[in-house]
Amino acid sequence: MVPAAAPARVRDRLAAASGPVPVVHRGLHALYLRLDDLCVGVTAAGATSVPCALRVASPDLGPLAAVRSARVADGVLHLDDSAVVVRRLVDVSVPRLDPAPLRQVPLARGAADVVGAVAAELPAPALRLLAAGDPAAVLLLVGRGSGLTPLGDDVLAGWLALHRASGAAAPAVEDAVVRHLGRTTLLSATLLDCALRGEVLPQYAAVVRALPGHLAGTGRPALQAAVTDLVRVGHTSGAGLLLGLRTAIDHLTNQHTSPLTSPRSLVPSHGGHAA
Amino acid sequence: MSSPAPTPERVTTSGIALLSDALVDQAVAVDRVDWRPPMPGTEADLVTVAGDPLRRTANARALEAVLGVQATLVDVAPASEVLGLGRGEFLHAGPPITWDRASGPLRGGLMAGAAFEGLVDDPEAAPASFADGTFTLGPCHHRGAVGPMAGVVTPSMWMFVLEDPETGRRTYCSLNEGLGKVLRYGAYSPDVLERLRWMADVLGPLLRAAVRAKAADTSPKGGAVDVTGILTQMLQMGDEAHNRNRAGTLMLLRDLAPYLVTAGPDAGFSADDVAAALAFVGGNDHFFLNLAMPACKLALDAARGIEGATLVVAMARNGTDFGIQTAGTGDEWFTGPAQVAEGLFLGDYGPDDANPDIGDSAITETAGIGGFAMATAPAIVRLVGGSVPDALATTRRMHEITLGENPRWQVPVLEFQGTPTGIDVSLVCRTGILPQINTGMAGKVAGVGQVGAGLVTPPAEIFPAALARLAELARARG
Amino acid sequence: MSHEHVEVRAGAYADSVALLQVSRTVAGTPGVEAAQVAMATDLNLEVLAQMGFTLPATTPDAMVVALRLADADALPAALAAVDAALVRRRSDTTAEVAPHRTTRAALREHGGDLALVSVPGSGAFLEAMDALDADRDVMVFSDNVPLAQEVALKRTAAERGLLVMGPDCGTAVVGGVGLGFANVVEPGPVGLVAASGTGCQQLLALLDRAGVGVASALGVGGRDLSAEVGGLATLEALRRLDADPAVEVIVLVSKPPAPEVGEAVERAAAALSTPVELALLGPGRADLTEVAERVVTRLGLSVDLAPSGTARAAVDGTLVRGLYVGGTLAQEAALLLADGTGTTVGRAAADLAGPGHAVVDFGDDELTVGRAHPMIDPTLRDEHLARVLADPATGAVVLDVVLGHGAEADPAAGLAPLVAGSAVPVVVALVGTRGDPQGHDAQAAALVAAGAEVHPSNAAAVRRALALALSPAGGAA
């Protein structure tokens, strides 16, 4: 038995599933499985702790990285003969954020360089449109870039999650994202789905958690440390998320937005989109 | 705290295994501590010292002070000049001792010293004058000096002079005579005395000329010899700077040889003298030990007198007693009986021929090298039939009783981890792990010389004694 | 007549230490009287001469092998021993790294986020101080830590903005991670500060039943709100939970504090931006279940306290006997029984055979000397339970089953046969969450199948047991 920590939603999806699950990607530190329309990861301590994964404590996956088969039985994921059992629930929700005093996140030079380089890879109008809350940005960004989590999706996820944190509605963009999820990889579509629900990486949550201190003028070092940690995530994923977060702040500070009456009401159920 | 109650993804556990298992079962990374009861009788003092509000910052200051020192070789000079040592005054290794309690090798070294100074014609005639107090004894440590093995220093012996350029503080050590039948192992035969005379007449003055010429040289290759820098390099070349000093010796030779050649003739020495000096230094793998030791003392002396600090600033043995001093207890020695090393013997010698542990050279372990850096010199562990993993384990074990790591002195095979530095009296008492010392073994009969080399630890009881005093001082401060 | 063999091996080299060892190995070979394998330095040649060997013509760069043998026939074996010793290689070069011996050393190398200390009480202070020295929070599970040491730890922690949970802290949940005896909880809006372990677990279980998640449950140890300690850990825990954006309501569970400490804590609570529900336990105050209901109601939800199963019909006996593993649960049971009957409730193990109602905490220090806590090893309670169930004076038994991390893997398995084999009504307070590793529903089902009535609320279980004991035999259960 391999104990794992997971978000309640991953546990519940496993409980509802049964039978073989295909392995869509495997590496030393992470394994990704297709659970219907959802990409569920098994991540070791050395991997990025995506909000749709079972996290195990070991530094890498060891023999699990080489599994031949995966299946779900009685709500438990089995990798060959090893049962990966959820023994702890992790909170992947983005911290609540008071939108009223929101200000742009200052960047130290290193982070600014990385974020600048990432922005240069994207079509110029995309960020401008996104900062204006224009859903036309979505088609320019979804699936844009290489790898399992294309850069354009990271930017969108960072943007969506900050709106979720501050309780600000962005129905036009959110609807567009839901419509276009099929244009990107399964993992990336899952992460966008997570962002729509306000589910984020711990490093992203840490930046949001550090914002109030920064806004109050007391927590600048804590924010800088959190920003540095976020930028280190993945190849460009962390920088993309940060760029999305900053673009969201531009959006929220430049125009009036109406708060959501029910934070989850605009999010379609997880079964609602093809991947 | 980056977060109010952040999820502990990694937890350090001590005690009940079941509670650690419960964390593993939640996919939390667990580092289990192998906790064991402390040395008997130390519980109350450990709590007092741990609760001393001065301790944490005092130890941090002490460690920082030790690590901040750079030792440079600035001069070579007779002990009479630099230590103010007068005729009939003798220095020795270890804590203070009187002739009647002195061991064979210390007596032999003192007898050789008396003959070398011309105080007696025959070494065998010296004991009476030591016994009646005509000749006086004092520890090297009390004069800013250290001496290997017997550590006997007399006024005419030449000393290395090391200086910390930041503060101008200095420490001193005699010149190394080589292995085998030598004064520091308690030998006093005519060839021993003859070598000592040559060292005073030729080697010392020649080295002085070279050291001064190098120090005065303003070209890039000039300047005082950076002893700390050589230590940094030799620790990555298989030396641990106590029982193995081969690379260090050759680097010193590399630094000094040009100046011996150029400054020697100016000081009135012949090419034969220079050649003899070069051959002597190059042929004595332990020559650098006498620079490593005062460099370590220079570093550790920086931590002396810091109230509340539990760091050990000296470990020294006189062949009878093993003594330690700590940063927070002034000049007080905490002593117990010196132990006999475990190791390998030269020729037909065996354990019965060996004298208990002797010498100030444990200053190297006190500073985090020697036995503490065993991992970088695995050849040494074979002295007791150990293996390479044993060498690595020894250095790792020393990290359990030290306050920090020396970022300059790194061990390549341990992923360039710094050497374990700053022995903490409290940690020794808590873990029962004693400092590991690499050492030579002197014959217990005066005059025999070296009989072997091996590994040794201090007597356990001196650490609880030092702890008790630290606790007493902490209680007095309230 | 001994035989001498001296050979010079030009171009051979080995470290002097290695050669000392080779010499010793070879000297131990049968037939060898003396052996010296060494580089031919002047010193070594001198040693060879002293040993009586004939010195060969050589240079310092060569290796000398000098052997004295009982007779010449021993030579091949001796030379083989020399060669073997010279090429000897250890195979065990990957020895396991020894674990660290202090919390300090482990934190220095691995940088853990938090320390959990459960060493004997006399050693706990040092390990906990190691954590504080490394700027880490610490949970001290150990009991028998002197009060002065607790004060010193908590003062040090307060200076550094750190949290000391304990000493004698049995339960905590920090950011979802259970420490000690803790339940698996869903993330959620409640933050708990608890001076009581099983009290905390009862709240976690009831909140979970109501579908209310918990961000953190920070234990502070039973003495934190005493005048000596001054609530230092409670104040820090309140600050932590207030700063957590996930926490919408804070619940503080404790015995009534020392008056001056109570005031300070109430002042601090009032100054927080998060509302604080103060739950002080004791005679005439709300029980744990009422506290849970208050919190759940505040969040617009409700908790289902209905039991599973129905206890057996009443018997002739009239005494309620409570056998507990949870200290606070036992205390609550004793209070409720005393309140409900107006009699004194016995608390000693001997009182289980006495003439009055009795509630015994088998986790009490006196009953755990030399044995594990009954949540881990239930043997002692099981023995007493068997006796109580066979005693005609017993009218009803109430007992707790506490699930979660650290607790035994299948407590129902041990209890069920005892319960099934008796006619006495048995009421169980099952304290656990749906996520607990023992499987809450399976435990409940096994106990119900054995004939027990299983309540999620301890208070309700106690009241039910009292009603059963007081109702006439053969009457409606």
Side-chain angles (χ1 to χ4, degrees):
Chain A
M1 195 275 284
V2 180
R9 193 159 72 89
V10 169
R11 176 200 58 188
D12 295 344
R13 286 299 297 268
L14 286 170
S18 183
V21 278
V23 177
V24 294
H25 172 74
R26 71 171 85 221
L28 181 60
H29 297 101
L31 198 67
Y32 291 100
L33 309 154
R34 180 196 293 269
L35 196 65
D36 303 326
D37 60 327
L38 201 71
C39 188
V40 170
V42 178
T43 58
T48 303
S49 294
V50 293
C52 56
L54 298 126
R55 302 178 191 171
V56 301
S58 51
D60 59 51
L61 289 178
L64 290 185
V67 293
R68 289 180 305 279
S69 70
R71 67 194 160 82
V72 179
D74 297 328
V76 175
L77 175 67
H78 294 263
L79 299 174
D80 287 345
D81 298 331
S82 300
V84 183
V85 183
V86 178
R87 281 293 166 77
R88 170 162 62 95
L89 295 168
V90 295
D91 187 0
V92 291
S93 58
V94 68
R96 288 173 299 151
L97 187 65
D98 180 2
L102 208 50
R103 264 201 335 266
Q104 195 46 272
V105 178
L107 295 182
R109 193 194 292 161
D113 290 350
V114 178
V115 171
V118 157
E121 284 182 37
L122 295 167
L127 293 173
R128 188 167 38 77
L129 290 168
L130 194 59
D134 187 330
V138 175
L139 203 52
L140 295 173
L141 289 169
V142 168
R144 169 85 58 172
S146 57
L148 281 171
T149 59
L151 176 62
D153 296 343
D154 292 325
V155 174
L156 280 173
W159 191 92
L160 292 167
L162 194 87
H163 281 71
R164 200 52 52 186
S166 57
V173 173
E174 291 171 352
D175 287 349
V177 169
V178 172
R179 271 200 314 280
H180 295 305
L181 283 178
R183 304 172 81 102
T184 187
T185 65
L186 178 65
L187 174 58
S188 204
T190 300
L191 292 175
L192 280 169
D193 178 45
C194 289
L196 283 164
R197 298 164 189 271
E199 296 171 356
V200 295
L201 296 178
Q203 292 90 342
Y204 186 97
V207 170
V208 176
R209 200 176 290 120
L211 276 173
H214 153 65
L215 298 173
T218 54
R220 174 122 190 210
L223 178 65
Q224 291 303 342
V227 163
T228 305
D229 285 350
L230 176 60
V231 170
R232 284 201 191 111
V233 171
H235 183 55
T236 56
S237 283
L241 287 166
L242 182 59
L243 178 58
L245 179 147
R246 287 172 56 84
T247 310
I249 293 178
D250 284 343
H251 178 230
L252 293 171
T253 51
N254 287 341
Q255 71 173 72
H256 175 75
T257 50
S258 58
L260 285 178
T261 43
S262 165
R264 304 287 186 260
S265 63
L266 291 172
V267 182
S269 77
H270 43 70
H273 51 262
Chain B
M1 294 281 115
S2 62
S3 161
T7 301
E9 299 287 354
R10 182 160 207 129
V11 175
T12 300
T13 62
S14 54
I16 303 169
L18 185 123
L19 299 182
S20 308
D21 297 343
L23 284 165
V24 170
D25 196 44
Q26 296 173 69
V28 172
V30 173
D31 303 307
R32 295 172 198 247
V33 173
D34 179 18
W35 184 88
R36 293 177 222 173
M39 288 183 175
T42 60
E43 286 89 348
D45 290 336
L46 281 169
V47 167
T48 302
V49 169
D52 179 359
L54 294 184
R55 177 193 47 90
R56 184 166 83 148
T57 38
N59 275 341
R61 264 178 64 210
L63 182 65
E64 196 184 351
V66 170
L67 297 177
V69 173
Q70 190 198 2
T72 57
L73 173 60
V74 295
D75 203 359
V76 183
S80 56
E81 281 178 28
V82 289
L83 299 182
L85 206 58
R87 194 168 168 79
E89 288 185 310
F90 291 75
L91 300 184
H92 61 82
I97 192 166
T98 47
W99 174 263
D100 56 305
R101 294 184 66 246
S103 64
L106 178 51
R107 288 184 175 194
L110 291 166
M111 288 155 67
F116 167 65
E117 289 294 329
L119 294 167
V120 290
D121 291 334
D122 181 353
E124 301 286 354
S129 301
F130 283 109
D132 68 15
T134 309
F135 303 156
T136 61
L137 303 182
C140 288
H141 266 293
H142 293 190
R143 301 256 189 163
V146 274
M149 300 309 288
V152 169
V153 176
T154 64
S156 309
M157 286 185 186
W158 285 63
M159 311 291 286
F160 287 123
V161 181
L162 276 68
E163 185 177 284
D164 176 16
E166 278 280 295
T167 59
R169 281 188 309 106
R170 291 183 163 196
T171 53
Y172 311 89
C173 187
S174 56
L175 311 182
N176 193 289
E177 313 158 71
L179 283 175
K181 267 205 159 57
V182 286
L183 170 145
R184 72 173 190 284
Y185 279 95
Y188 51 79
S189 53
D191 48 327
V192 172
L193 297 176
E194 194 182 322
R195 189 187 305 112
L196 287 172
R197 285 190 196 101
W198 174 80
M199 289 170 70
D201 295 343
V202 179
L203 183 64
L206 255 174
L207 285 172
R208 169 159 68 184
V211 165
R212 287 181 175 178
K214 178 163 164 46
D217 183 353
T218 55
S219 80
K221 66 185 168 70
V225 174
D226 179 1
V227 177
T228 305
I230 292 180
L231 280 162
T232 301
Q233 295 179 61
M234 64 195 274
L235 286 165
Q236 300 198 12
M237 297 167 77
D239 283 353
E240 39 69 278
H242 188 170
N243 263 16
R244 231 182 122 93
N245 290 279
R246 183 166 298 173
T249 299
L250 294 175
M251 278 186 281
L252 176 71
L253 199 61
R254 177 195 64 185
D255 281 4
L256 288 182
Y259 299 95
L260 281 167
V261 170
T262 53
D266 294 346
F269 291 98
S270 70
D272 282 350
D273 288 336
V274 172
L278 287 168
F280 180 82
V281 175
N284 173 5
D285 286 343
H286 283 283
F287 196 74
F288 191 81
L289 173 63
N290 293 37
L291 285 165
M293 287 172 54
C296 290
K297 178 170 173 62
L298 195 62
L300 289 159
D301 279 358
R304 282 180 183 266
I306 296 179
E307 200 177 12
T310 57
L311 177 140
V312 176
V313 294
M315 294 195 291
R317 316 85 97 196
N318 57 32
T320 305
D321 312 308
F322 191 118
I324 57 170
Q325 294 177 306
T326 82
T329 49
D331 291 333
E332 188 172 350
W333 288 95
F334 304 92
T335 62
Q339 313 290 300
V340 175
E342 195 186 325
L344 292 175
F345 294 86
L346 293 167
D348 289 333
Y349 294 121
D352 295 342
D353 301 311
N355 193 74
D357 198 17
I358 185 166
D360 286 333
S361 56
I363 196 76
T364 55
E365 279 82 11
T366 320
I369 52 180
F372 281 46
M374 191 86 93
T376 210
I380 302 295
V381 82
R382 297 173 74 175
L383 283 172
V384 285
S387 60
V388 172
D390 294 335
L392 304 185
T394 298
T395 294
R396 287 204 186 94
R397 197 166 66 247
M398 294 304 105
H399 281 290
E400 299 295 315
I401 57 168
T402 47
L403 290 168
E405 295 171 11
N406 189 327
R408 271 199 283 230
W409 294 346
Q410 299 172 343
V411 179
V413 73
L414 294 179
E415 306 287 351
F416 293 91
Q417 185 182 19
T419 49
T421 306
I423 301 167
D424 179 0
V425 169
S426 288
L427 288 172
V428 172
C429 293
R430 282 174 67 182
T431 61
I433 295 172
L434 295 172
Q436 176 72 63
I437 297 165
N438 292 347
T439 192
M441 277 186 272
K444 68 181 174 192
V445 175
V448 167
Q450 185 178 14
V451 298
L455 312 180
V456 72
T457 55
E461 65 268 29
I462 60 181
F463 293 93
L467 179 76
R469 181 78 180 118
L470 286 161
E472 188 186 337
L473 292 168
R475 280 185 208 106
R477 280 193 296 271
Chain C
M1 183 60 201
S2 72
H3 174 84
E4 181 182 293
H5 173 87
V6 178
E7 70 174 75
V8 175
R9 299 184 177 185
Y13 173 79
D15 189 86
S16 60
V17 175
L19 290 174
L20 272 170
Q21 202 179 34
V22 168
S23 301
R24 195 168 70 170
T25 305
V26 174
T29 306
V32 178
E33 291 175 349
Q36 182 76 351
V37 181
M39 300 306 290
T41 61
D42 288 349
L43 170 67
N44 285 332
L45 291 176
E46 200 180 313
V47 169
L48 282 173
Q50 275 175 13
M51 292 172 78
F53 285 107
T54 314
L55 291 186
T58 182
T59 68
D61 293 329
M63 184 188 291
V64 182
V65 177
L67 304 169
R68 187 172 301 111
L69 307 163
D71 59 65
D73 293 349
L75 185 60
L79 286 176
V82 172
D83 294 337
L86 281 171
V87 301
R88 194 166 70 99
R89 292 284 181 276
R90 291 262 174 171
S91 57
D92 56 342
T93 50
T94 51
E96 215 170 279
V97 176
H100 290 293
R101 296 286 303 282
T102 62
T103 299
R104 175 198 163 89
L107 281 173
R108 192 168 68 187
E109 176 169 352
H110 303 294
D113 302 313
L114 177 143
L116 169 57
V117 176
S118 58
V119 302
S122 60
F125 180 79
L126 299 174
E127 303 306 315
M129 192 58 99
D130 279 356
L132 300 182
D133 280 353
D135 290 317
R136 296 298 195 285
D137 295 335
V138 60
M139 166 159 163
V140 183
F141 183 91
S142 319
D143 54 9
N144 293 316
V145 176
L147 183 60
Q149 293 180 16
E150 175 171 352
V151 172
L153 280 176
K154 287 181 171 171
R155 286 196 181 146
T156 304
E159 284 166 18
R160 300 174 189 172
L162 297 170
L163 178 63
V164 176
M165 295 181 278
D168 201 9
C169 175
T171 300
V173 178
V174 180
V177 170
L179 298 159
F181 297 120
N183 304 91
V184 178
V185 297
E186 308 252 343
V190 174
L192 287 170
V193 181
S196 135
T198 45
C200 179
Q201 289 190 282
Q202 169 78 87
L203 288 178
L204 293 175
L206 291 175
L207 291 174
D208 184 71
R209 196 169 177 86
V212 174
V214 171
S216 284
L218 306 177
V220 293
R223 295 185 301 212
D224 192 62
L225 292 172
S226 65
E228 292 87 346
V229 184
L232 288 171
T234 300
L235 294 172
E236 178 63 22
L238 287 172
R239 270 192 291 273
R240 297 293 186 93
L241 295 176
D242 189 43
D244 187 340
V247 174
E248 293 167 26
V249 57
I250 298 172
V251 186
L252 170 59
V253 196
S254 168
K255 282 177 288 195
E260 65 273 30
V261 180
E263 278 169 36
V265 168
E266 276 176 42
R267 265 199 312 277
L272 301 181
S273 58
T274 315
V276 178
E277 187 83 53
L278 278 174
L280 304 178
L281 310 173
R285 296 174 185 266
D287 59 51
L288 289 162
T289 303
E290 289 172 82
V291 171
E293 286 181 302
R294 275 211 310 257
V295 176
V296 168
T297 305
R298 179 173 206 142
L299 294 166
L301 297 164
S302 64
V303 55
D304 174 12
L305 298 176
S308 312
T310 306
R312 290 198 185 83
V315 290
D316 289 335
T318 55
L319 298 177
V320 175
R321 270 133 182 199
L323 295 88
Y324 278 82
V325 297
T328 304
L329 300 176
Q331 201 174 350
E332 182 177 76
L335 271 174
L336 289 169
L337 276 184
D339 213 35
T341 61
T343 62
T344 307
V345 175
R347 300 299 314 271
D351 295 330
L352 288 174
H357 303 297
V359 173
V360 174
D361 169 19
F362 286 90
D364 192 73
D365 289 353
E366 275 180 41
L367 296 175
T368 53
V369 176
R371 61 165 69 235
H373 193 278
M375 274 191 221
I376 302 165
D377 173 11
T379 315
L380 188 65
R381 178 169 79 165
D382 287 354
E383 282 169 13
H384 280 86
L385 179 60
R387 248 174 273 149
V388 162
L389 288 170
D391 183 347
T394 304
V397 165
V398 59
L399 54 85
D400 60 349
V401 172
V402 182
L403 307 180
H405 298 294
E408 61 169 320
D410 188 2
L415 290 169
L418 295 172
V419 173
S422 162
V424 174
V426 175
V427 186
V428 174
L430 178 61
V431 177
T433 63
R434 288 162 294 163
D436 280 337
Q438 291 86 353
H440 175 277
D441 292 353
Q443 289 291 310
L447 292 165
V448 167
E453 182 173 314
V454 178
H455 287 256
S457 154
N458 181 51
V462 174
R463 290 193 187 99
R464 172 69 171 144
L466 183 58
L468 284 162
L470 297 181
S471 55

